[in-house]
Every structure is written in structure tokens, then in C-alpha cells.
Amino acid sequence: MNDFLVLKLLDRVQGIFKKLGVDYAVLRRILQVKLTMDGRRTPTIFSGAQEPKQNTEGSPFRVQWFYLLLGLMLIAMVAPEGNSILMMGLLFSIVMFMITTTLISDFSSVLLDLRDKNILFSKPVDHRTLNMAKNIHILIYLLSITFTFTGPSLLFSLYRHGVAFFLLYAAEIILMDGFILVFTALTYLLILRFFDSEKVKDLINYVQIILSIGVAVGAQLISHLFDITGLGLTFTPAWWQFLIAPVWFAAPFELLNAGPGNGHLTALAILAFVVPIVLFVAYVKLMPAFERSLQKLAEQGAAGQDSGRLSRRLSEITCRNKEEAMFFRFTWSMMKNEREFKLRVYPSVGLSLALPFIFMFNQVWTGDPAALRDSKAYLFIYFSALMMMTVVQMLRYSASYKGAWIYKVIPLPRTSMVYRGMLKAAIIKLLLPLFTVEAAVFIGLFGVKIVPNLVGGMLALLLYSVICLFVLPKALPFSEKYETARKKEFTPIAFMQLFILGGFGGVHYAITFIPGAIYIYMVIMVIANVWIWRAAFPANDSPGGRFPTFSVRK
């Protein structure tokens, strides 16, 4: 096996691991095996791993180029000479948002993985060593993604601000990744310690939503650190800044430029270094408890069982035939019970729930709160459909993908009904409840006068959901393994989906200036939905048409 560079770096600090009670020789061997296996196949979460030569389309450069491209925009935040706490606060809020959502959507499945225990605990491997190996393995790829994302701005900071700024920036990136990983792990541990079996699985999904919302809200608060006075910006200390992690990581840069003397900034800067270290030490002490608590995820409980009554009743109401109803119930059940699916999709549900209110919050903060009621901020509800980009994409994957052989034996010549039932289940289970909650809040804020606009928006989002399905490569529901998710290049498609959603919102905004036009818009949306649902899912669809036939993907 290869002796990886990262292992040689770890060798230099092996004394720290030994003091923490970790068997370093075993830790190194586990990491060496994991990294070697990553070079032979690409796990779902590990975009940085190498691909086999025959799978060059899954090259890490095809995944990380997107982070590198986005990272070029961060240069604008390290370019200014002044207001370091504002610019670096914005930078760290963006980076923390990206890395945290990546961690909770992609890496949670590894952090909560039980497969290593079945193999290694039959050997002389203790809980702390195994958990440390798992976390370092994740941290290696988090740092790979983070340094790819921040690389352009990091190099530019060396040219613009000097060596001290560069070294501080690099050190804080490492501390930030460690903080995100340990904080997420401790949150999961808290749940695992106090809840049992199926409740644990459900609560972890809820925590992912809460973390996604919390990170998004925290990122928005950064822009309100300053009061605008004349043509300048004045930093205004406030107690709530101690609760926002990006502010901690931005404070040392302000002290570096302005010098010590501000007690508030000094306290924030201390938190940037102390909190990650304290959390790490606490987590190391709790690692054995974390591994023991993970066993609850392997337990089967009655709480997670689905009687099927609700899905059966909804399928009878919404589906036109037995074939469609059958796959409606199948998709509903898989979305409810497949933990891997929920680990990947629920963070996007949380963001879709939060984003409309975050944008509205910004409008209230920077403008006149009383003017909100007469504004068109209710159109931010279109952002609730962002989740459909992820949902429709992930409906093709399953941990039980080998069961797709059933597609070969089911006598269903019309594959269009499979997709129709699948999409209806996703809309009714995920999109409609979220839209209803947001619509109820908006009606309370803006009054019943916006109901026609909300109805028009919902019709547009139904149309958008079909488009999301059809711009993606077709695959039968839950027929592919998650390991193939990152081998497919969906980034250009995601941009297309965002552009289309923005187009719907832009058209809706334009017609609000024309009296009575919303009712014409509603009629057009009804006609468009009837047409696209019939055209997209024809009752006489035949094999070899626009839908793939029933075949098992190996």
C-alpha cells in the first residue's frame, strides 16, 4: 500500500495522539487502508478520491473545479485593506456555509457508519482509535475541499497582505474545519445519548435541517456587523456576535491590521482559537461513548414503521391508475425509511425552508419594516423549490439498489407511470408541506390579498418540478448505488435549474405590476401543467421512448 503524504505528516505529531490515548500504529494502518481504498473507488462523499482509469469521467478535478471556480470570487473579500472583520467575516460565513452543508449532507453517513465496527471490533482495536481514524479520514477530505475553495484567496492574501495574514488565514481554515466536524459530531452524540432506536434516526435528520438553517442565518447576520455612517462603515460591538462563529474567525484579522486595544475584538479572537481546541479535547474524551451510542442506529424499532395508510389514501386520490399508485406508495415508503436518502436530502429541505425568510429578513433589516407589508417579498417563496433540485436527483439512488431486479419481473410496459408516481410522491411528501408552512406565514405577514399570487406560485412550482426531472439523465427510482452519485456531473444542470427557477420568479414579479394579470398567469399555469404532465408522462409510453426501460444497473 502507498505511504501517503498525509500519513507522513501525521507521523510528525504522533506524540499528540498517543497522549490522547490513541493507538497510533493501529490508527495509521486504518487510515492507510481507507486512503488506499479511496484510490480504487470513489465513495459518495469523497470527491477528492482518485478514480480508476476506466472511470476518468469521475476524476477529482471534475468535482473540485467547481469549488475552485467559486473560490475565485472570494478574492474580492481579501482584496480590501480595511474593514477586515467585515470582509473576512463574510468570507468565513460563506466558507462555513459551504463546508457545513457538505459535511451534514455528504459526510454524515460516514460519521454515523457502523460497517467498520463489524470488522474491526473483532480485532484488538479500541473505540477511541477507530473513531479518531474515522474523523481524521473525514477531515482530510474536508480540508481538501476547503483548501480548493479558499486556495485562490489564500494565495492572493500572501501577495496583498503579507506572510502573517497568509499564515493566520491558513491556520484558521484548519481550525474552522475541525470546529465544524467536532461540533457536528458532538451534536449527534447528544442525540444518541438521550434517544433510542428509530427516534435517533429521525432526530438526526431534524438536526441536519436545524444546522442548515442555523448556518444560513448566521451567514446573513455577518453583513449587519456594521452601521453605515456617511460613506464609512463602523463596527458596532454586540453580545450576539459571540454566538456567530464566522465573527470569531474574522476578529484576529482586524487585530492584525488595527493592533490590540479593543477588548471586544480580543475576546472574539480568543474564541476562534480556544473553542475549537476545547471542543476537540472534549470530543476525544467522549469518543468511546460516541462509538457505543452508534449501535442504536442498528436497532430496529416500531417507531419508524410506516403503516402505509396515508400513502395509500393519497395515491387513491392523486393517481390515475394502479401502476402509478403503486410507485407512488413505493417512493413514499423509500423516502420515509431510507436513512441515506434523508441524510442527503433533508439539509436542502432546511435551506429551502429558511431562504425565503432570510431574504425577507435582510429587506426588513436594511429598509423600513413597515413597508414590508406593501412589498412583493412574498415572491421569495419561489426559493422553497430549491429542494426539488436535490430531491429529484437523489431519487435515483438507494442503499438497497440491488433490489432493482424487481423492475425486470414486474409486468409494466409503461415506464412513464413509474416516473409520474415517483414525482407525485416527492411533491406531496416534501414540496407541498414546506410550501404550505411558508404560505401560511406569508399570509400572516402580508394578508389574504397575496393568496392568488401564492396559488400562481404553487402552480409554477409544480411545472418546475417536472422540468427538474426531465433535465436530468433518466434513471429508474432507487436503482443506482450512492457511490455513483459523484461520478455524474450535475453542476451544469444545477445552474440550468437555478436559471429556470429564477425565470419563473422573474415573470411572476413582472406581472404583479399589471392589474389582474395574476389571474391570467394562473390560467396559463393550469394549462401548462395539464399539458406538461400529459406530454411528459404519456399513458401509451413504450419501451425505447423518452423513458429508460426496466434494467438493473450494476
Side-chain angles (χ1 to χ4, degrees):
M1 288 185 291
N2 294 332
D3 196 16
F4 296 91
L5 175 62
V6 67
L7 297 179
K8 295 178 181 179
L9 295 175
L10 288 176
D11 289 341
R12 296 178 179 273
V13 293
Q14 60 180 288
I16 297 176
F17 292 104
K18 293 177 180 178
K19 289 180 180 179
L20 293 173
V22 174
D23 188 333
Y24 181 75
V26 175
L27 171 73
R28 194 184 196 280
R29 178 62 66 179
I30 294 173
L31 284 174
Q32 189 175 26
V33 171
K34 285 179 176 288
L35 293 171
T36 300
M37 291 176 66
D38 292 341
R40 296 174 180 174
R41 51 123 176 102
T42 301
T44 307
I45 62 162
F46 295 147
S47 60
Q50 296 177 355
E51 287 288 324
K53 292 182 178 180
Q54 65 268 28
N55 290 330
T56 54
E57 73 276 10
S59 169
F61 299 107
R62 290 293 301 274
V63 178
Q64 294 203 353
W65 73 265
F66 179 63
Y67 290 100
L68 186 63
L69 182 63
L70 288 178
L72 294 174
M73 296 186 291
L74 299 181
I75 293 177
M77 298 181 186
V78 298
E81 291 284 355
N83 294 326
S84 295
I85 191 169
L86 173 62
M87 303 311 296
M88 295 306 294
L90 288 172
L91 184 147
F92 273 102
S93 66
I94 293 171
V95 176
M96 290 188 74
F97 175 81
M98 292 287 291
I99 300 305
T100 304
T101 51
T102 298
L103 173 63
I104 62 180
S105 62
D106 290 347
F107 287 77
S108 289
S109 58
V110 174
L111 192 61
L112 303 173
D113 192 13
L114 299 172
R115 290 173 296 183
D116 286 348
K117 298 178 65 175
N118 299 329
I119 300 172
L120 295 176
F121 281 172
S122 62
K123 309 297 187 294
V125 179
D126 59 83
H127 291 277
R128 181 174 282 119
T129 300
L130 175 58
N131 195 275
M132 181 65 76
K134 184 188 300 183
N135 282 274
I136 292 177
H137 190 207
I138 295 173
L139 186 61
I140 289 170
Y141 289 98
L142 274 184
L143 288 172
S144 173
I145 293 171
T146 308
F147 276 109
T148 301
F149 185 36
T150 59
S153 59
L154 187 63
L155 293 175
F156 183 82
S157 71
L158 178 62
Y159 163 77
R160 180 68 169 173
H161 301 289
V163 176
F165 191 102
F166 171 83
L167 293 176
L168 178 61
Y169 189 7
E172 290 206 348
I173 288 173
I174 298 173
L175 285 171
M176 178 198 69
D177 275 355
F179 168 76
I180 292 172
L181 176 59
V182 172
F183 181 80
T184 304
L186 287 173
T187 303
Y188 288 158
L189 174 61
L190 184 65
I191 297 171
L192 290 166
R193 289 297 298 273
F194 292 101
F195 298 94
D196 296 321
S197 190
E198 293 297 326
K199 290 182 180 179
V200 171
K201 301 174 186 179
D202 294 335
L203 283 170
I204 286 175
N205 297 135
Y206 300 146
V207 165
Q208 288 180 312
I209 295 176
I210 294 171
L211 286 175
S212 299
I213 294 174
V215 171
V217 172
Q220 294 298 316
L221 290 175
I222 298 299
S223 61
H224 304 299
L225 286 171
F226 285 71
D227 287 335
I228 300 177
T229 56
L231 298 177
L233 295 172
T234 304
F235 174 71
T236 305
W239 65 267
W240 54 264
Q241 294 164 2
F242 289 95
L243 305 177
I244 310 299
V247 183
W248 310 344
F249 293 104
F253 296 96
E254 186 71 18
L255 292 176
L256 181 65
N257 291 334
N262 189 317
H264 188 83
L265 285 175
T266 302
L268 290 170
I270 291 173
L271 289 177
F273 295 94
V274 172
V275 172
I277 294 173
V278 171
L279 288 180
F280 174 74
V281 173
Y283 181 54
V284 170
K285 299 293 184 182
L286 295 170
M287 276 182 178
F290 184 85
E291 286 297 324
R292 288 193 298 268
S293 299
L294 279 179
Q295 190 59 37
K296 294 180 180 179
L297 295 177
E299 299 173 2
Q300 298 296 325
Q305 299 300 318
D306 182 11
S307 65
R309 289 183 182 178
L310 179 60
S311 61
R312 189 177 301 108
R313 181 59 178 162
L314 289 172
S315 67
E316 292 171 355
I317 296 173
T318 60
C319 298
R320 58 163 48 163
N321 55 51
K322 293 182 179 180
E323 299 167 358
E324 181 183 336
M326 177 176 64
F327 281 95
F328 178 100
R329 294 191 297 271
F330 169 67
T331 303
W332 185 284
S333 178
M334 291 293 289
M335 289 190 296
K336 178 179 176 62
N337 298 312
E338 177 113 349
R339 184 163 63 94
E340 189 86 3
F341 176 84
K342 292 189 286 186
L343 284 173
R344 295 166 184 273
V345 169
Y346 277 31
S348 66
V349 175
L351 290 177
S352 296
L353 178 64
L355 282 176
F357 300 110
I358 288 174
F359 288 119
M360 191 168 61
F361 167 78
N362 278 336
Q363 192 175 55
V364 172
W365 193 301
T366 58
D368 180 11
L372 176 66
R373 193 172 180 85
D374 297 324
S375 71
K376 304 183 190 301
Y378 53 83
L379 292 180
F380 286 135
I381 201 168
Y382 273 84
F383 284 101
S384 63
L386 285 174
M387 56 173 280
M388 292 305 295
M389 296 167 53
T390 303
V391 172
V392 172
Q393 177 183 332
M394 297 310 299
L395 282 172
R396 68 180 58 219
Y397 302 114
S398 173
S400 305
Y401 69 95
K402 291 183 179 179
W405 60 268
I406 194 69
Y407 290 130
K408 281 190 171 182
V409 300
I410 295 178
L412 291 176
R414 298 179 298 177
T415 56
S416 61
M417 293 299 102
V418 175
Y419 291 91
R420 187 182 178 100
M422 177 191 76
L423 187 59
K424 282 185 178 180
I427 291 172
I428 295 174
K429 185 173 180 62
L430 297 174
L431 179 61
L432 282 182
L434 187 144
F435 186 91
T436 302
V437 170
E438 293 187 347
V441 176
F442 281 141
I443 290 173
L445 292 172
F446 297 94
V448 295
K449 63 181 182 181
I450 69 166
V451 170
N453 286 281
L454 295 178
V455 173
M458 186 67 248
L459 292 170
L461 296 188
L462 292 176
L463 185 64
Y464 174 73
S465 298
V466 181
I467 295 173
C468 280
L469 175 65
F470 271 82
V471 296
L472 286 169
K474 302 301 179 294
L476 292 165
F478 309 104
S479 63
E480 298 183 2
K481 56 183 177 180
Y482 285 108
E483 283 79 359
T484 64
R486 291 298 179 98
K487 294 180 182 179
K488 298 181 182 295
E489 185 54 72
F490 291 123
T491 303
I493 296 175
F495 277 117
M496 183 192 305
Q497 291 171 327
L498 283 172
F499 180 78
I500 294 171
L501 182 60
F504 276 115
V507 170
H508 195 152
Y509 177 77
I511 66 170
T512 57
F513 293 97
I514 305 174
I518 183 58
Y519 298 102
I520 300 175
Y521 182 72
M522 290 168 59
V523 172
I524 293 174
M525 286 295 103
V526 169
I527 296 173
N529 270 284
V530 171
W531 173 79
I532 198 169
W533 280 85
R534 288 181 176 176
F537 310 104
N540 59 348
D541 180 59
S542 59
R546 64 167 60 92
F547 296 98
T549 57
F550 290 113
S551 61
V552 180
R553 297 177 181 268
K554 299 182 180 179

